[in-house]
């Protein structure tokens, strides 16, 4: 039975109570304790810097050339915090409620409440680090509204909030590297987790420059490696984003929770051809001022500016008048797909909808719009060659954020003692759908404010444990397994590239385990993925050697995706309801809205690895709602 | 489009390296420059050859990882654009395109178009931060920062650390990168307290890494994807001189 270790007591006292009773590590003992942090995005950099400050010995790893490139850098829109600066009635409970409702009542109450509770401190921390958030003329912080809420709680740094928050965390990390409390290993990729006596004790990494396989031991391992939305190939994620670290940990015993819940973001640029490597995200913040519409006439051939008001269908405002263009992402994405599938899509491939700023420009002036979104408009023009001040943007849904990830308890510890998962790498706070501007928040809060306490609670019992011996047979076995896999992949000697397999897998998943799913489609997908995996091990080709070799890196990640993709379909197949990002066509209302089933599916699916080509082991963590009553999630 | 390419191939940092010719037919003008390289790599792979190594990640113009010299210009012919945001519509059918890594002593080539930019990290490690610990920061609105000051700090903070400024400078100077961070933090009240110590340490590290002195040609600003202004270099010099004068 999974124990989430939720503290007793009223919701608002749980975290305080935990902190008051958590075990501590004496400052003199911290230097005896080693911690590995994999990933240097917001979650990874913030926890590594925090632990370094506290006096632990930290090693941190990333596959990029520098921590400043982690994909947190690309989050544009903002970060949520219930500061109530706008005096519009925001508070911790309201933010908690919005988040849990936004996640379609498929997240833990205690975790979500803690997220809201810690949010205000994050803004304080980031401002102290010099993050240049948007300001009012009087000098006080400004904020704006985001999808799924009716108050202004999203703080922003132009359209580069993720970049600025990451630079804050990166700089804090660099300070610790300079002080010697954190050792940084850039261009290193984790290829396996090492467990000894059931506890996480280290990792095997590959130096991507030299090809050297290294062993690193520690008293605890933290995975902060982000999400795996790139499994769809075409996604909003950076090319290097992958699920390998968490998947390798899963194969060593950590449970994987709700893997099929991947958010499809409504405001990406549409696909324009087969050659495309990614779908660039336009910040959701654009929906504050942009109005979304499609022509009322099918196959409309007039240019957007020539389509008069009466011939436009502002379908979000029509269907969801209370939230309109700020409807949550899953609702907005599905509504766009519904219009596109019905034949009202726009653009050369008829796969987009319009995001129109003409009214906002008329009301506020072009200068104000430029100040708010200038860099996004510039980016749009670079990619499409279109000036969005003059004609509407074309946008389309795209795979984005993984709500699923490693199962963690309230302490952010996985089912392997000593292995923690932070940020998007865990499944914890967003339920079946993440509200905009909550991902930066979760990553930072996990790293700055939660894990420093919960990790200490674990490490307090490890003080007498000597440094991990990397010559232990468990390290030998893991290193050998990694070497064997690299040689296996190199030795296949087929004809097809890793990208070919990745694209093929992505298409299967997008069609059958994407915006909508059906039992029939998912069963087909499982069969197709199995066949593709067989083909991969028979027909892959990797040129080059075992040192710097991007193709080899990609192949390892695709090998993991080919297993993870099957688990995603399996998870989606067993969840016989529609909730959040998971829309099973068999379970919908006559109006086409998602139909949740709280009676039978108010639980988290946490899957165990049973071995290659074996059915995964299904564990359930029941969700109990003590403080809110799950309701039909209506944004009308 | 039909494209001819001359691309720098270098096995490793010890190899002397050389330009090599390639041709690509059926390039779509809507492809990004990196997607064109992906296409070339697929072609090389079909021929059983090693793929061309190049740095890239977000492909949204924000991570700063991509960056090569294209026809002698950092990130190619467009102003204020990263390589990943450059599209093939910016080239002519039949054109020959030269692609080389960013060149600077402080940015050694690792393989083909991949370079080592960790010198930038060490410049930041030397003092490019506000020395605040986690967990006990004061209420954010207790430090009001006027809108113009916050915006000016932001203009400097927008640097993505791609290294184009170094690559286009005839002295391989990192002055634009370093000065952007110095300005960002010096303008803010939180960062002003440490400004003197910071500028001395960061400039010292910049020199130690082997970056040259500012050449005053302003090529860095002209090629910067983020439009970082050379005025930050003036501020860095001012901050540095002030720090030296006031040094106890």
């Amino acid at each position: 039975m999974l124990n989430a270790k939720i503290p007793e007591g009223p919701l608002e006292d749980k975290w305080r109570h935990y902190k008051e009773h958590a075990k501590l590590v004496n400052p003199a003992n911290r230097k005896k304790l080693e911690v590995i942090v994999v990933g240097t995005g917001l979650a990874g950099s913030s926890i590594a810097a925090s632990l370094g400050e506290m006096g632990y010995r930290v090693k941190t790893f990333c596959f990029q050339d520098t921590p400043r490139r982690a994909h947190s850098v690309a989050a544009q829109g903002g970060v949520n915090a219930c500061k109530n600066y706008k005096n519009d009635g925001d508070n911790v409970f309201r933010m908690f409620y919005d988040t849990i409702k936004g996640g379609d009542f498929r997240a833990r109450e205690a975790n979500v409440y803690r997220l809201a509770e810690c949010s205000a401190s994050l803004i304080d921390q980031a401002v102290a680090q010099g993050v240049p958030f948007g300001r009012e003329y009087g000098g006080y912080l400004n904020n704006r509204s985001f999808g799924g809420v009716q108050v202004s709680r999203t703080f922003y740094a132009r359209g580069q909030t993720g970049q600025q928050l990451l630079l804050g965390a990166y700089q804090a990390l660099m300070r610790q590297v300079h002080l010697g409390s954190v050792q940084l290993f850039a261009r290193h990729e984790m290829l396996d987790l090492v467990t000894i006596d059931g506890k996480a004790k280290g990792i095997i990494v590959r130096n991507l420059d030299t090809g050297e396989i290294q062993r690193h031991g520690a008293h605890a391992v933290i995975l902060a490696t982000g999400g795996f939305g790139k499994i769809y190939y075409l996604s909003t994620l950076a090319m290097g984003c992958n699920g390998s670290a968490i998947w390798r940990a899963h194969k060593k015993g950590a449970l994987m929770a709700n893997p099929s819940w991947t958010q499809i973001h409504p405001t990406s640029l549409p696909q324009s051809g087969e050659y495309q490597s990614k779908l660039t995200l336009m910040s959701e913040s654009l929906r504050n001022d942009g109005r979304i519409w499609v022509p009322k006439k099918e196959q409309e051939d007039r240019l957007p500016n020539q389509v008069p008001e009466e011939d436009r269908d502002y379908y979000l405002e029509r269907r969801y008048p209370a939230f309109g263009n700020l409807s949550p992402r899953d609702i907005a994405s599905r509504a766009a797909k519904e219009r596109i599938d019905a034949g009202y899509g726009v653009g050369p491939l008829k796969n987009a909808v319009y995001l129109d700023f003409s009214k906002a420009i008329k009301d506020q002036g072009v200068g104000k719009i430029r100040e708010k979104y200038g860099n996004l408009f510039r980016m749009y023009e670079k990619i499409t060659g279109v000036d969005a001040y003059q004609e509407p943007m074309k946008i389309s849904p795209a795979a984005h954020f993984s709500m699923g990830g490693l199962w963690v308890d309230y302490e952010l510890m996985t089912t392997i003692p000593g292995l923690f998962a932070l940020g998007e790498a865990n499944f914890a706070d967003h339920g079946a759908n993440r509200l905009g501007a909550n991902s930066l928040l979760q990553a930072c809060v996990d790293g700055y404010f939660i894990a420093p306490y919960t990790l200490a609670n674990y490490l307090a019992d490890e003080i007498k444990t000597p440094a991990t011996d990397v010559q232990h047979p468990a390290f030998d076995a893991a290193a050998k397994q990694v070497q064997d896999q690299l040689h296996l992949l190199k030795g296949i000697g087929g004809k097809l590239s890793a990208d070919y397999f990745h694209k093929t897998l992505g298409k299967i998943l997008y069609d059958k385990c994407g915006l909508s799913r059906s039992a029939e489609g998912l069963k087909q997908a499982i069969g197709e993925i199995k066949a593709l995996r067989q083909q991969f091990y028979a027909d892959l080709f990797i040129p080059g050697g075992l040192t710097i070799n991007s193709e080899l890196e990609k192949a390892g990640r695709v090998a993991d995706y080919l297993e993870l993709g099957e688990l995603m379909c399996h998870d989606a197949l067993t969840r016989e309801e529609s909730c959040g990002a998971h829309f099973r066509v068999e379970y919908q209302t006559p109006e086409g809205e998602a139909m949740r089933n709280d009676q039978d599916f108010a639980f988290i699916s946490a899957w165990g690895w049973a071995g290659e080509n074996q059915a995964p082991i299904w564990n359930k963590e029941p969700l109990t709602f003590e403080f809110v009553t799950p309701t039909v999630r209506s944004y009308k | 489009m039909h494209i001819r390419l001359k691309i720098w191939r270098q096995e490793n940092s010890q190899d002397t390296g050389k330009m090599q010719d390639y041709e690509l037919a059926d390039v779509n003008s809507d492809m990004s420059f990196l997607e064109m390289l992906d296409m070339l790599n697929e072609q090389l792979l079909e021929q059983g050859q090693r793929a061309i190594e190049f740095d890239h990640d977000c492909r949204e113009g924000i991570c700063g990882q991509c960056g090569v010299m294209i026809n002698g210009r950092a990130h190619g012919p467009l102003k204020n654009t990263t390589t990943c945001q450059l599209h093939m519509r910016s080239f002519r059918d039949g054109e020959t395109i030269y692609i080389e890594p960013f060149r600077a002593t402080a940015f050694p080539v690792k393989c083909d178009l991949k370079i080592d930019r960790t010198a930038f990290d060490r410049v930041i490690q030397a003092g490019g931060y506000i020395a605040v610990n986690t967990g006990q920061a004061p209420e954010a609105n207790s430090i009001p920062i006027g809108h113009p000051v916050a915006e000016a700090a932001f203009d400097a903070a927008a640097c993505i650390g791609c290294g184009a400024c170094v690559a286009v400078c005839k002295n391989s100077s990192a002055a634009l990168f370093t000065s952007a961070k110095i300005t960002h933090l010096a303008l803010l009240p939180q960062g002003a307290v440490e400004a003197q110590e910071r500028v001395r340490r960061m400039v010292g590290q910049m020199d130690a890494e082997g970056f040259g002195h500012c050449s005053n040609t302003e090529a860095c600003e002209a090629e910067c994807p983020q439009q970082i202004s050379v005025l930050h270099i003036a501020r860095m010099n001012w901050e540095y001189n002030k720090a030296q004068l006031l040094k106890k």
Side-chain angles (χ1 to χ4, degrees):
Chain A
M1 183 67 181
L2 289 170
N3 179 7
K5 295 193 261 181
I6 310 284
E8 294 292 318
L11 197 53
E12 60 273 21
D13 291 341
K14 285 181 190 293
W15 181 230
R16 183 174 57 80
H17 184 264
Y18 177 89
K19 288 193 286 186
E20 284 168 358
H21 294 84
K23 285 175 250 176
L24 299 173
V25 179
N26 178 326
N29 283 330
R30 291 179 201 158
K31 61 178 177 291
K32 297 178 196 159
L33 293 164
E34 295 175 292
V35 183
I36 281 170
V37 180
V38 185
T40 57
L42 276 171
S45 284
S46 57
I47 185 64
S50 300
L51 296 175
E53 285 164 14
M54 293 163 80
Y56 294 100
R57 284 161 57 201
V58 183
K59 285 181 177 178
T60 186
F61 299 81
C62 68
F63 67 78
Q64 295 94 345
D65 65 339
T66 158
R68 65 180 295 149
R69 317 246 190 256
H71 194 54
S72 305
V73 80
Q76 299 160 335
V79 57
N80 284 339
C82 55
K83 283 283 201 181
N84 196 30
Y85 283 165
K86 291 277 166 94
N87 198 26
D88 55 7
D90 201 9
N91 53 52
V92 174
F93 188 86
R94 194 177 293 279
M95 182 169 172
F96 152 72
Y97 186 78
D98 285 342
T99 302
I100 210 151
K101 176 187 168 192
D104 221 351
F105 302 96
R106 289 291 174 267
R108 277 187 209 132
E109 285 183 323
N111 281 63
V112 177
Y113 192 89
R114 180 174 63 182
L115 179 77
E117 194 179 344
C118 296
S119 65
S121 309
L122 170 63
I123 302 302
D124 300 341
Q125 178 68 29
V127 165
Q129 286 174 340
V131 172
F133 283 122
R135 298 262 169 179
E136 303 274 9
Y137 276 84
Y140 295 105
L141 287 151
N142 203 352
N143 57 18
R144 57 193 175 196
S145 190
F146 243 50
V149 303
Q150 290 172 309
V151 294
S152 282
R153 68 163 72 105
T154 306
F155 293 79
Y156 61 95
R158 289 188 198 153
Q160 302 174 3
T161 317
Q163 182 190 6
Q164 294 307 324
L165 282 172
L166 181 67
L167 288 180
Y170 157 77
Q171 287 164 200
L173 177 64
M174 289 296 102
R175 175 174 164 235
Q176 296 307 313
V177 171
H178 186 66
L179 293 169
S181 55
V182 177
Q183 262 183 289
L184 170 65
F185 297 82
R187 291 206 203 256
H188 282 64
E189 181 165 30
M190 170 180 156
L191 292 183
D192 209 356
L193 175 79
V194 182
T195 58
I196 299 175
D197 299 331
K199 288 180 173 178
K201 285 290 179 184
I203 58 174
I204 306 292
V205 297
R206 180 167 174 269
N207 179 330
L208 301 179
D209 282 344
T210 63
E212 182 197 2
I213 303 297
Q214 301 171 351
R215 306 165 178 209
H216 295 274
H219 292 86
V221 176
I222 297 174
L223 301 184
T225 53
F228 50 84
K230 187 69 191 166
I231 196 169
Y232 289 89
Y233 191 74
L234 280 178
S235 80
T236 64
L237 275 78
M239 301 302 285
C241 288
N242 65 83
S244 284
I246 60 172
W247 189 251
R248 306 283 167 103
H250 171 65
K251 289 172 85 169
K252 284 290 174 82
L255 301 188
M256 182 73 88
N258 303 330
S260 68
W261 291 351
T262 309
Q263 182 165 75
I264 308 290
H265 199 292
T267 57
S268 154
L269 299 189
Q271 186 179 0
S272 60
E274 285 302 317
Y275 53 82
Q276 214 155 341
S277 60
K278 78 166 296 177
L279 299 174
T280 301
L281 179 66
M282 300 301 291
S283 167
E284 177 176 340
S285 66
L286 292 168
R287 290 200 282 150
N288 270 290
D289 287 301
R291 298 179 72 199
I292 293 173
W293 62 276
V294 289
K296 281 185 181 166
K297 196 178 96 186
E298 270 184 73
Q299 303 299 320
E300 173 66 75
D301 49 11
R302 286 176 288 182
L303 293 170
N305 289 340
Q306 291 166 352
V307 178
E309 201 64 19
E310 62 271 19
D311 291 346
R312 298 176 177 193
D313 176 15
Y314 294 93
Y315 57 88
L316 284 177
E317 296 171 34
R318 168 170 60 79
R319 289 180 63 177
Y320 308 101
F323 285 72
N325 294 299
L326 290 176
S327 303
R329 291 176 176 178
D330 55 334
I331 305 256
S333 295
R334 245 187 337 266
K337 183 172 190 285
E338 189 275 327
R339 285 291 80 191
I340 291 168
D341 289 349
Y344 297 92
V346 299
L349 301 180
K350 301 289 178 202
N351 61 350
V353 299
Y354 289 126
L355 177 62
D356 193 341
F357 290 85
S358 55
K359 185 169 186 301
I361 288 172
K362 198 171 153 207
D363 292 349
Q364 301 171 38
V366 72
K368 193 73 192 167
I369 298 300
R370 185 168 281 123
E371 184 187 320
K372 285 198 228 176
Y373 313 111
N375 65 317
L376 300 171
F377 277 57
R378 219 169 33 246
M379 183 165 96
Y380 184 80
E381 188 170 5
K382 277 180 193 169
I383 297 169
T384 63
V386 173
D387 177 3
Y389 294 106
Q390 301 296 329
E391 68 173 271
M393 291 181 179
K394 287 190 269 296
I395 56 163
S396 191
H400 184 52
F401 184 94
S402 323
M403 275 80 68
L406 290 178
W407 184 90
V408 289
D409 59 23
Y410 188 73
E411 299 189 294
L412 307 182
M413 189 154 80
T414 68
T415 41
I416 299 177
L419 179 70
F420 292 74
L422 272 55
E424 197 178 346
N426 74 32
F427 85 104
D429 294 355
H430 307 297
N433 171 55
R434 178 178 61 78
L435 286 185
N438 267 353
S439 93
L440 294 179
L441 173 66
Q442 188 218 347
C444 290
V445 160
D446 282 2
Y448 284 130
F449 305 120
I450 297 171
Y453 290 96
T454 61
L455 187 76
N457 192 49
Y458 173 80
L459 289 176
D461 293 332
E462 298 291 317
I463 292 166
K464 294 199 176 91
T465 308
T468 302
D469 174 15
V470 294
Q471 301 311 321
H472 187 281
F475 276 90
D476 292 341
K480 181 174 182 311
Q481 196 182 342
V482 164
Q483 292 277 19
D484 288 350
Q485 202 216 7
L486 290 169
H487 285 106
L488 172 73
L489 294 174
K490 276 289 300 158
I492 293 170
K495 288 192 173 60
L496 296 168
S497 65
D499 275 349
Y500 165 83
F501 291 99
H502 193 172
K503 285 178 187 175
T504 310
L505 173 68
K507 185 152 173 28
I508 296 170
L509 287 174
Y510 193 79
D511 289 345
K512 293 173 176 154
C513 192
L515 263 170
S516 59
R517 298 105 191 256
S518 68
E520 193 193 346
L522 288 164
K523 284 176 194 158
Q524 283 170 5
I526 290 171
E528 289 170 27
I529 294 169
K530 278 185 200 296
L532 188 67
R533 200 162 59 230
Q534 274 187 348
Q535 192 192 4
F536 175 84
Y537 285 103
D539 216 0
L540 175 75
F541 174 60
I542 303 170
L546 283 166
T547 56
I548 293 181
N549 190 339
S550 304
E551 290 298 315
L552 182 59
E553 291 168 31
K554 279 193 253 180
R557 293 166 194 165
V558 173
D560 294 332
Y561 279 151
L562 284 164
E563 293 173 346
L564 172 57
E566 189 178 332
L567 182 66
M568 285 168 66
C569 295
H570 208 86
D571 181 50
L573 186 61
T574 50
R575 187 163 285 277
E576 294 172 329
E577 63 163 350
S578 292
C579 61
H582 169 73
F583 189 77
R584 279 283 294 269
V585 294
E586 301 95 326
Y587 307 98
Q588 57 180 309
T589 64
E591 298 84 42
E593 302 294 340
M595 211 157 69
R596 217 177 55 221
N597 177 354
D598 292 336
Q599 185 75 34
D600 302 314
F601 289 93
F603 59 75
I604 289 154
S605 289
W607 300 97
W609 173 256
E612 273 165 40
N613 296 315
Q614 300 293 312
I617 302 157
W618 197 5
N619 303 278
K620 294 177 190 171
E621 181 200 334
L623 289 168
T624 49
F625 292 93
E626 279 182 81
F627 305 97
V628 295
T629 308
T631 54
V632 175
R633 191 166 150 248
S634 172
Y635 292 90
K636 292 193 172 178
Chain B
M1 294 170 79
H2 185 97
I3 297 289
R4 294 189 179 83
L5 296 156
K6 288 183 181 291
I7 303 181
W8 185 259
R9 299 302 304 263
Q10 183 173 336
E11 285 297 316
N12 51 51
S13 54
Q14 278 77 47
D15 184 23
T16 46
K18 61 172 193 264
M19 298 299 277
Q20 203 149 314
D21 294 346
Y22 301 95
E23 282 200 35
L24 268 183
D26 301 325
V27 172
N28 186 315
S29 63
D30 282 335
M31 275 182 174
S32 72
F33 192 82
L34 299 184
E35 284 164 353
M36 181 275 292
L37 285 178
D38 290 342
M39 186 181 169
L40 175 63
N41 273 345
E42 278 288 324
Q43 189 173 298
L44 291 178
L45 207 130
E46 279 166 21
Q47 297 161 0
Q49 295 182 42
R50 185 171 71 76
I52 294 160
E53 294 289 343
F54 59 97
D55 270 324
H56 64 101
D57 200 15
C58 80
R59 296 201 176 186
E60 285 186 20
I62 196 77
C63 80
Q65 183 139 327
C66 69
V68 286
M69 300 303 281
I70 302 167
N71 292 339
R73 294 187 60 180
H75 296 299
L78 298 185
K79 278 184 78 68
N80 315 128
T81 305
T82 51
T83 304
C84 65
Q85 297 286 281
L86 174 67
H87 288 73
M88 294 311 291
R89 67 179 84 94
S90 298
F91 300 91
R92 291 187 318 277
D93 190 22
E95 186 171 346
T96 301
I97 305 173
Y98 289 76
I99 311 174
E100 292 172 82
F102 285 171
R103 308 265 188 201
T105 310
F107 287 171
V109 175
K110 283 172 175 273
C111 180
D112 299 339
L113 306 170
K114 258 184 209 254
I115 56 165
D116 178 355
R117 278 170 291 196
T118 48
F120 272 6
D121 286 330
R122 291 186 291 273
V123 170
I124 296 295
Q125 284 164 25
Y129 45 75
I130 291 171
V132 55
N133 280 356
T134 309
Q136 301 304 322
E139 155 59 40
N141 260 348
S142 64
I143 318 167
I145 302 169
H147 184 78
V149 173
E151 290 296 303
F154 197 113
D155 288 341
C159 168
I160 57 174
C162 65
C165 49
V166 174
V168 298
C169 177
K170 59 177 92 170
N171 282 348
S172 300
S173 167
L176 195 68
F177 168 81
T178 309
S179 67
K181 187 49 60 189
I182 283 166
T183 302
H184 164 210
L185 298 176
L187 280 177
L188 298 171
Q190 304 93 311
V193 185
E194 299 169 283
Q196 292 178 27
E197 181 65 12
R198 176 183 306 118
V199 71
R200 272 204 306 271
R201 285 166 50 179
M202 288 182 77
V203 169
Q205 187 64 35
M206 186 172 74
D207 293 344
E209 293 290 344
F211 293 110
H213 195 275
C214 171
S215 65
N216 292 311
T217 54
E218 303 186 9
C220 51
E221 181 179 323
E223 296 288 17
C224 174
Q226 293 296 95
Q227 297 176 271
I228 304 293
S229 166
V230 288
L231 290 177
H232 301 314
I233 300 178
R235 171 173 281 276
M236 176 173 75
N237 291 338
W238 183 72
E239 292 282 349
Y240 187 78
N241 289 336
K242 191 170 65 171
Q244 291 297 84
L245 279 171
L246 297 175
K247 191 162 63 174
K248 289 185 181 124

